[in-house]
């Protein structure tokens, strides 16, 4: 194995900022699309389901090809893969700006953009690894992770504002401009050459596409609330298990592999990837529960809900920056443990506050605590997982790390949403059955209507649905709705809470291991 490419221990602020801008665009893109659905539908004369299908397709393509994208970066060059990924995103953004039908959105934004993401994510992490080392590398990982957190939180707010007061096309045009600025600084990026085998593992590539794609399709079907979810996810998982056996077999025969299975012999790598997934499950679960609570229970509009959630993202970003720049070297395992402990404390406080809050201001303190915890995690996990990896293997490791994070976020969003709806249906049914106001012969129909139509309606929307009912029944159903929603939201918050507990257990395992040593110090992958 050749020596790693030289890296610099100095902090290149301009390069770090450009990498953070690229990550911001990558994350904010889908958020803008989500909040612009109705405007896109009206403007190009398509359907909501058509636009939602494009969003789902983009998520599917990026997840299905993420492991192939990491290997492609090895074969064509990490810097070139980074540039191609950015150009794919810019093409998708320009297509959105000019689109008059759904077809260019599907081709350029969903398919081409999804392929761009599969190249961009692992290439970006590889280039951070190869262009920085030591404290500077840790700081850049924290900055890029913090920019992703900010994008996830402010994306809906930013997209909603631009769509409302300007145009959704302007939002995507601004994305293309930002990517143009990032590409203007590409000369600052030094490539990290790959010297390993250049043969292609065709079977491994196919298994990875069907494995990752199957899991993501299952999650998307789960979000829609119908379809053979278990069968699809099980099929995807079987393909991933098959991929694992295939990689080990190929490695023993000294043949080319899509991923080096020896990566998973490293306990720090396995724990780091797992912690990344757990962090993203907690973030995804929280980010679907809290906006629904603010908009449906407190009656906030999208702008007010976004402002109420700003403390979470801002504290997350601030703490990630502070932790990434600390002069005193604290153990990463201790910081990760502190992060999950703070996240758990904030979530438990939210569960207590949810049924009692009459204003978003009452969520301020627990959101700040959650944000501080997530900030500590963002500042450490990518560096902990990837810094010990040799330059030759870093693309593969970054692909696995990115895949784990993407899966965690999607799973958190889907599972927390499913838990909310199931809990709401259960509570609605039981409370309507126990009501002394609703006539006995009406109870089954009322419960069915509430389950099928009410879901997470605001009180005003539900009142419109009940306009034909007698006033006493209207008042009773509104009461049931008001009492059931906080319970369902509390139950849904158990997902990120239990995930934080799992992260604490894993962090205790991290503390029993020696801290990983960066490959730039002359070490390669682990023992």
């Amino acid at each position: 194995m050749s020596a790693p490419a030289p890296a610099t221990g100095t902090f290149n602020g301009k390069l770090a900022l450009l990498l953070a801008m690229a990550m911001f665009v990558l994350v904010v893109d889908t958020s803008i699309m989500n909040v612009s659905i109705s405007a896109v539908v009206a403007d190009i004369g398509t359907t909501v389901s058509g636009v939602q299908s494009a969003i789902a397709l983009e998520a599917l393509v990026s997840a299905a090809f993420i492991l192939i994208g990491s290997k492609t970066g090895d074969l064509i060059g990490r810097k070139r893969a980074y540039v191609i990924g950015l150009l794919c995103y810019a093409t998708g953004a320009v297509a959105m700006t000019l689109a008059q039908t759904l077809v260019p959105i599907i081709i350029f934004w969903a398919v081409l953009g999804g392929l761009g993401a599969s190249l961009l994510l692992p290439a970006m992490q590889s280039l951070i690894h190869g262009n920085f080392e030591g404290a500077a590398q840790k700081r850049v990982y924290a900055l890029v992770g913090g920019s992703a957190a900010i994008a996830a939180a402010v994306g809906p707010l930013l997209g909603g504002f631009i769509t409302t007061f300007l145009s959704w096309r302007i939002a995507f045009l601004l994305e293309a401009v930002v990517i143009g600025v990032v590409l203007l600084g590409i000369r600052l990026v030094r490539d990290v050459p790959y010297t390993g085998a250049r043969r292609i593992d065709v079977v491994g590539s196919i298994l990875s596409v069907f494995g990752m794609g199957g899991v993501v399709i299952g999650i998307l079907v789960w979000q829609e609330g119908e379809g053979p979810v278990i069968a699809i996810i099980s099929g995807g998982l079987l393909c991933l298990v098959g991929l694992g056996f295939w990689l080990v077999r190929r490695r023993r025969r000294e043949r080319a592999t899509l991923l080096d299975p020896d990566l998973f012999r490293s306990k720090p790598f396995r724990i780091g990837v797992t912690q990344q997934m757990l962090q993203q499950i907690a973030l995804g679960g929280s980010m679907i529960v809290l906006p629904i609570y603010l908009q449906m229970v407190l009656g906030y509009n999208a702008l007010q809900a976004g402002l109420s959630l700003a403390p979470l993202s801002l504290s997350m970003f601030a703490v990630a920056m502070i932790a990434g720049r600390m002069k005193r070297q604290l153990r990463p395992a201790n910081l990760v443990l502190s992060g999950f402990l703070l996240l758990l404390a904030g979530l438990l406080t939210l569960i207590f506050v949810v049924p009692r809050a009459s204003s978003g201001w009452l969520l301020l303190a627990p959101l700040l605590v959650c944000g501080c915890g997530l900030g500590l995690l963002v500042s450490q996990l990518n560096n902990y997982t990837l810094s010990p990896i040799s330059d030759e293997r870093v693309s593969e490791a970054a692909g696995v790390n990115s895949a784990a994070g993407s899966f965690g976020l999607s799973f958190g969003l889907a599972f927390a949403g499913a838990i909310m709806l199931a809990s709401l249906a259960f509570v609605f049914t039981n409370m309507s059955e126990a009501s002394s106001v609703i006539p006995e012969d009406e109870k089954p129909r009322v419960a069915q209507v509430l389950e099928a139509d009410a879901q997470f309606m605001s009180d005003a929307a539900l009142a419109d649905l009940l306009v034909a009912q007698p006033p006493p029944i209207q008042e009773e159903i509104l009461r049931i709705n008001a009492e059931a929603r906080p319970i369902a939201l509390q139950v849904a918050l158990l997902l990120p809470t239990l995930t934080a507990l799992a992260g604490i257990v894993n962090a205790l395992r991290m503390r029993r291991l020696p801290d990983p040593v960066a490959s730039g110090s002359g070490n390669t992958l682990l023992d």
Side-chain angles (χ1 to χ4, degrees):
M1 183 180 298
S2 64
T8 176
T10 59
F11 180 75
N12 186 332
K14 187 174 181 180
L15 175 57
L17 178 61
L18 291 172
L19 290 167
M21 289 168 64
M23 177 59 79
F24 183 89
V25 169
L26 184 69
V27 176
V28 84
D29 180 72
T30 303
S31 296
I32 292 176
M33 188 64 163
N34 280 323
V35 300
S36 303
I37 289 178
S38 59
V40 173
V41 168
D43 205 5
I44 67 174
T46 185
T47 62
V48 171
S49 62
V51 178
Q52 288 175 331
S53 297
I55 295 172
L57 181 61
E58 195 271 345
L60 173 62
V61 171
S62 62
F65 288 90
I66 188 77
L67 298 180
I68 295 177
S70 66
K71 190 63 177 179
T72 301
D74 289 340
L75 298 177
I76 68 173
R78 282 79 179 260
K79 182 176 179 178
R80 184 173 296 166
Y82 175 72
V83 171
I84 293 173
L86 286 171
L87 288 173
C88 287
Y89 254 80
T91 302
V94 172
M96 290 298 298
T97 305
L98 302 175
Q100 300 300 318
T101 67
L102 186 61
V103 173
I105 294 176
I106 291 175
I107 295 174
F108 296 107
W109 183 84
V111 176
L112 193 62
L115 291 172
S118 70
L119 287 170
L120 185 56
L121 273 170
M124 183 186 302
Q125 294 184 3
S126 301
L127 291 173
I128 294 172
H129 185 281
N131 283 263
F132 301 90
E133 71 174 28
Q137 185 182 95
K138 176 183 173 183
R139 186 175 169 186
V140 178
Y141 275 128
L143 175 63
V144 172
S147 71
I150 287 286
V154 307
L157 180 63
L158 182 64
F161 181 85
I162 295 175
T163 300
T164 301
F165 295 103
L166 297 171
S167 166
W168 59 276
R169 296 182 187 274
I170 298 295
F172 287 100
L173 179 61
L174 290 174
E175 275 190 34
V177 171
V178 172
I179 293 172
V181 172
V182 173
L183 287 170
L184 287 175
I186 197 63
R187 62 182 179 78
L188 297 173
V189 180
R190 183 179 59 254
D191 203 358
V192 185
Y194 173 73
T195 57
R198 309 191 73 83
R199 290 166 293 172
I200 298 173
D201 178 6
V202 176
V203 174
S205 300
I206 293 172
L207 286 172
S208 75
V209 169
F210 281 96
M212 293 298 299
V215 170
V216 173
I217 289 175
I219 290 174
L220 293 171
V221 170
W222 192 357
Q223 286 177 311
E224 294 299 317
E226 55 185 25
V229 175
I230 295 178
I232 297 173
I233 293 180
S234 298
L237 292 175
L238 283 174
C239 287
L240 291 177
V241 171
L243 174 63
F245 282 110
W246 172 259
L247 295 176
V248 171
R249 180 186 177 190
R250 295 275 290 185
R251 179 66 173 170
R252 286 173 179 168
R253 297 183 177 185
E254 297 184 351
R255 296 182 178 180
T257 57
L258 178 67
L259 295 172
D260 188 343
D262 286 348
L263 280 172
F264 298 95
R265 292 173 55 194
S266 158
K267 286 184 180 179
F269 179 76
R270 293 199 307 267
I271 290 178
V273 167
T274 303
Q275 295 290 65
Q276 178 82 278
M277 182 175 65
L278 292 174
Q279 174 211 334
Q280 292 296 327
I281 291 174
L283 180 61
S286 302
M287 292 309 292
I288 194 170
V289 170
L290 295 173
I292 288 176
Y293 171 78
L294 291 165
Q295 294 182 64
M296 299 300 112
V297 177
L298 299 184
Y300 284 10
N301 59 32
L303 181 62
Q304 291 171 317
L307 290 173
S308 296
L309 292 175
L312 176 69
S313 58
L314 294 177
S315 59
M316 186 175 175
F317 182 77
V319 170
M321 294 300 94
I322 294 169
R325 299 183 64 173
M326 283 191 304
K327 301 293 185 184
R328 183 183 173 191
Q329 294 298 313
L330 300 177
R331 288 199 67 195
N334 290 335
L335 291 173
V336 170
L337 177 60
S338 299
F340 277 114
L341 285 169
L342 285 171
L343 179 59
L344 178 63
L347 289 168
L348 289 173
T349 307
L350 280 171
I351 290 175
F352 175 79
V353 168
V354 156
R356 298 166 177 82
S358 57
S359 166
W361 285 105
L362 294 177
L363 304 182
L364 177 62
L367 287 178
L368 286 173
V369 174
C370 288
C372 290
L374 289 167
L376 287 176
L377 298 178
V378 164
S379 73
Q380 302 301 312
L381 287 179
N382 282 330
N383 189 65
Y384 180 92
T385 306
L386 298 178
S387 65
I389 309 297
S390 66
D391 284 342
E392 187 173 310
R393 298 180 181 177
V394 68
S395 285
E396 301 171 12
V400 174
N401 193 47
S402 298
S406 298
F407 169 78
L409 186 64
S410 299
F411 182 84
L413 289 166
F415 197 31
I419 290 173
M420 275 194 299
L421 293 177
S423 301
L424 189 63
F426 179 80
V427 175
F428 270 157
T429 300
N430 281 273
M431 293 182 74
S432 61
E433 287 291 335
S435 172
S436 59
V437 176
I438 302 174
E440 289 296 329
D441 58 342
E442 286 288 313
K443 286 180 179 180
R445 192 174 69 83
V446 167
Q448 183 180 8
V449 169
L450 286 172
E451 290 179 30
D453 297 325
Q455 293 188 356
F456 278 92
M457 284 186 176
S458 65
D459 287 339
L462 184 57
D464 290 339
L465 180 68
L466 301 171
V467 69
Q469 296 292 328
I473 294 182
Q474 290 186 36
E475 293 174 7
E476 180 70 357
I477 293 176
L478 287 170
R479 180 192 68 80
I480 292 174
N481 183 56
E483 293 182 11
R485 287 179 306 189
I487 296 173
L489 291 164
Q490 284 178 305
V491 173
L493 279 172
L494 290 177
L495 173 66
T497 302
L498 293 174
T499 302
L501 276 173
I504 291 170
V505 172
N506 227 20
L508 293 173
R509 292 175 59 210
M510 290 174 68
R511 294 183 68 192
R512 292 196 291 269
L513 297 173
D515 293 337
V517 180
S519 62
S521 302
N523 299 275
T524 55
L525 189 66
L526 330 166
D527 356 91

